[in-house]
Amino acid sequence: MGKLKTFTRRTFLVGSSAIAGGVAFGTFLAKKPHDNPLAKNLNNGEATFNPWVLIDADKITLIVPHMDMGQGVASIQAAMIAEELDLEMDQFAISFGLPDAAYHNTALASEAVPFLSTDDGMTAQAMRTVVRSVMKILGLQVTGGSTTVPDSLNKLRIAGATARETLKRAAAIQADVDAAELTTARGAVVLPDGKRIAYTDLAAAAAALQPVHHNTLRDPASWRLLGQPMQRLDIVGKSTGTLDYGIDLQFDDLLYAAVQLNPGKGAALKSHDDTQAKAMRGVQQILPLTHGVAALADNSWRAMRAAKAVVCDWAEASYPAEQADHWQLVADSFTEERLDKIWRDDGDVEQAITDAAAHQAEYRAPYVAHQPLEPLNAVIRVTNERADIWVAHQMPRFAQQKVAEITGLEVDQVYLHNQYAGGSFGHRLEFDNVILAAEIGRQMPGKTIKLTYTREQDFAQDFTRQIGMARGRGLVKNGQVKAMDLSVATVSSSESQMKRLGQSAPGPDKQITEGAWNLPYDIEHFRVSAYRVPELAPTSSWRSVGASSAGFFADCFLDELIHQAGADPLAERLRLCNHPVAKAVLETAGELSGWGRPLAENQGRGIAFVESFGVPVAEVVEVTMTDRGIRLDQVTVVADVGRVIDPVNFENLMQGGAVWGLGHAMNCEITFKNGASEQLNYHRHAGMRLYQCPKIVVKGLENGAQVRGIGEPPVPPAAPALANAIFAATGQRVREMPFDQHIRFV
Amino acid sequence: MKLTVNGVSHEVDVEEDMPLLWVLRDELQLTGTKYGCGIAQCGACTVHMNGMAVRSCQVPAKEAADQTITTIEGLGQPEALHAVQAAWVEHQVAQCGYCQSGQIMQAASFLQFKPNPTDEDIDRAMSANLCRCGTYPRIREAVKTAAKSLRGGV
Ligand code: FES
Ligand code: FES
């Protein structure tokens, strides 16, 4: 724990400031702090202060800038502050804050550079630092990449400790005792005689003091909240229908909007005829937009019906109209010219693998949609002076800029009120709902308008996961895997995404082979090459991004080789594994799943291992071949996250990640016909249903040196573990998702 | 037409074919009932009509008129949880939570008819309610806990 104790090096600077009737505490970067976002609302002369803790005479508010889309981070961020501040979970309110550069994400950087996450060498560290400063300049307030916990753990505890020590100093002055004699508990400073002074009563006095810096953070062994089972702050609201999502917000005189958009994603509206739609009940206005039309009415359903009734003439999409052509362009991309980068080149595969002796296979991963259950929505109000938008967004700063660009206002005239999201899985990293809302709002000054997508529009416009293929060649000898040469060709979802942000994505795309190139295996001859397919349909980050396809390709192909060699799938992975943290993950998965325990003739067990976002994860799937198809019996998921901060949430997210990975591998894909998505609702893209859900056993290990997030890492190993289990049960290799093209599931 | 929701009667002026879901959400501002798919594929919109779980996106307003409707808001409140809601809190089922109003309404209705369900009963009753976050293992456990407490067990 030496690292934590010395953490007061000047990475973060903690400040405080007076607010009306109280004080605010927080952290920002030391070298050149960003302007403080809350300072705008301060009285003159009350300059510096920072954005994590606000205490006034009435209440305590903790600011939790990472967006909560179901991963429970609102609670976790608050608990990090409360741990050091000695607050109970029912003693404060939370706020998502207004978007600001001071909330930029420092953890995202460590995964943005191409070094093995286990590689702490000089160059790796130096590079991460460079990228980190770039992040700061961009002011990337991003929720994504499973980074909330690593990004926040120290920042927020430091903020809590600073607030606590400063409040103690205020109490010491007030009671005329030595601060060292004071303790804190349950939102109050406790005097030596046991008398308590509530923080709220000290707020005004604390505002006049210099904040107390360089506090030693508490040893995790003494944590009251973190690391213990906690009741999530939102759990009662979410169990009673009383928590508002963006889609639920109510305003006086609200107008409801719905859209019909060009089914060719990104293509324009040429012309439209709204005669019929305009005459429908409750309809107030039909507005043309860049990519479609909006109907405004006095009820969402009326707006949806009217939007659908507009007759539109669409421009053609820029990508091929038919799915077969998408696959063809992927298949054609394994060329010298399209080689993006060789990410791994151990030994000499060319020499080792002569085609005659090679085992070869080809894999496919389709486009898949995000489709969180809450459809995209936004509430907007635009006036000459300001725009307000209420929306759940993972990159609020960029969303704010989009609104500014469209409305012609300055960025600081745009107020984004972030919301709880009914799921995201990467969907709320995109801006289409924000852009549409701004286009609508600009045309309806002064009106408050709630835009709600129909599920069909949401599906049709979803920027899906990357489409891709892989070709593997390999060699086994004396019962061991000797050589593996994996070529992966996908479109670059990063390039597609950055383009919509108006940014270029220079250099090779790390995501194409993520989960494959970074496998901690010493295969004598091991090469992983990435080929970049030219952009087809627009794509985006889909929970676990590149690893959701490349992890599937790499682990399944390795499994083929292991079977070729006649080795045990777990034993051979362990023999190849060169990293102790990963090895422990594999071993634990073996123990917990009862690896080696005999199974019935019609059963099979498969293991897979993928590391993504710095988290090594192993999953074991057990299936039974019934006369009605494959049944999933049990799944074991083991991950090393350095430290489990919130055990209940950890289990829930690990199980949910496995369900996500398995369900989409079983039955989901997006295909194009006439340039439009053929899947427009859940009956054609369901994911897993409850009756299909296996028993899921979860274990978190804490051997890794760094604390890591868990939203995405359990996804990638799920698909290969299932495919490997199906092979074990049936002898059939399924090499393309969704598996239900080849396999029936019960 | 007249609608009785959570014991309160309302006069609403809507088309006969407006789905109950949108009457609840946009006319009565009862937003605990969620829109997910609109085509009976997700169950997020589940409410009770005369005690039976129905998909409110599939019930035209005219069929709901003069019936007894209960929504998640009428099932229980944060200060006075229904046994099913209490079980959902105890097991911390929700992730994003968006499906959970519907899951809870489905479970509450189902347990009235099957107070002592087998695992298979639970799977059958709850499988038309989609959870994109994958909280299924916890839903199963919470249904069992709710069943027990509704039967008066501890
Ligand atoms: S919204 Fe009614 S079932 Fe999905
Ligand atoms: S908890 Fe998110 S959809 Fe069920």
Side-chain angles (χ1 to χ4, degrees), chain A residues 678-695:
Chain A
E678 293 191 277
Q679 295 74 18
L680 294 177
N681 212 319
Y682 292 122
H683 59 299
R684 305 221 31 206
H685 187 288
M688 189 179 278
R689 296 264 176 195
L690 182 134
Y691 73 94
Q692 298 170 309
C693 186
K695 180 170 173 226

Side-chain angles (χ1 to χ4, degrees), chain A residues 69-70 373 422-423 425, chain B residues 93-100 103 130-135 139:
Chain A
M69 42 208 174
L373 200 57
F425 318 114
Chain B
V93 175
Q95 285 186 30
C96 85
Y98 194 77
C99 70
Q100 303 297 349
Q103 305 277 6
L130 190 62
C131 176
R132 293 289 284 158
C133 299
T135 62
I139 290 175

Side-chain angles (χ1 to χ4, degrees), chain A residues 413-431:
Chain A
Q413 291 175 292
V414 177
Y415 295 79
L416 186 145
H417 312 269
N418 222 337
Q419 302 295 316
Y420 273 106
S424 175
F425 318 114
H427 204 30
R428 294 177 212 277
L429 282 165
E430 291 292 344
F431 301 93

Side-chain angles (χ1 to χ4, degrees), chain A residues 97 140 355 387 548 572 627 630 664 713 726:
Chain A
L140 272 176
D355 276 346
S548 72
E572 181 65 356
D627 46 11
I630 291 279
H664 288 87
I726 291 171

Side-chain angles (χ1 to χ4, degrees), chain B residues 40-116:
Chain B
Q41 285 295 312
C42 76
C45 65
T46 305
V47 300
H48 296 175
M49 192 154 89
N50 306 325
M52 292 278 290
V54 294
R55 306 294 185 233
S56 65
C57 70
Q58 298 301 306
V59 178
K62 71 162 186 289
E63 279 176 28
D66 303 316
Q67 313 296 314
T68 305
I69 311 292
T70 308
T71 68
I72 184 82
E73 291 93 343
L75 189 72
Q77 281 291 313
E79 314 74 43
L81 298 173
H82 181 274
V84 174
Q85 293 172 317
W88 247 250
V89 170
E90 182 188 331
H91 289 274
Q92 303 217 51
V93 175
Q95 285 186 30
C96 85
Y98 194 77
C99 70
Q100 303 297 349
S101 293
Q103 305 277 6
I104 289 167
M105 294 308 280
Q106 179 72 20
S109 155
F110 149 67
L111 288 175
Q112 282 175 14
F113 300 103
K114 271 249 187 273
N116 200 356

Side-chain angles (χ1 to χ4, degrees), chain A residues 296-308:
Chain A
L296 271 54
D298 55 1
N299 173 299
S300 303
W301 178 74
R302 291 182 186 130
M304 287 170 182
R305 280 225 298 195
K308 207 171 162 185

Side-chain angles (χ1 to χ4, degrees), chain A residues 72-115:
Chain A
V73 298
S75 258
I76 296 171
Q77 292 172 91
M80 288 172 183
I81 302 173
E83 182 67 57
E84 288 285 340
L85 190 46
D86 285 328
L87 285 172
E88 299 305 318
M89 293 297 274
D90 57 0
Q91 290 188 300
F92 53 83
I94 58 167
S95 157
F96 296 143
L98 290 171
D100 197 90
Y103 300 120
H104 77 288
N105 185 332
T106 36
L108 199 59
S110 59
E111 288 309 309
V113 283
F115 292 96

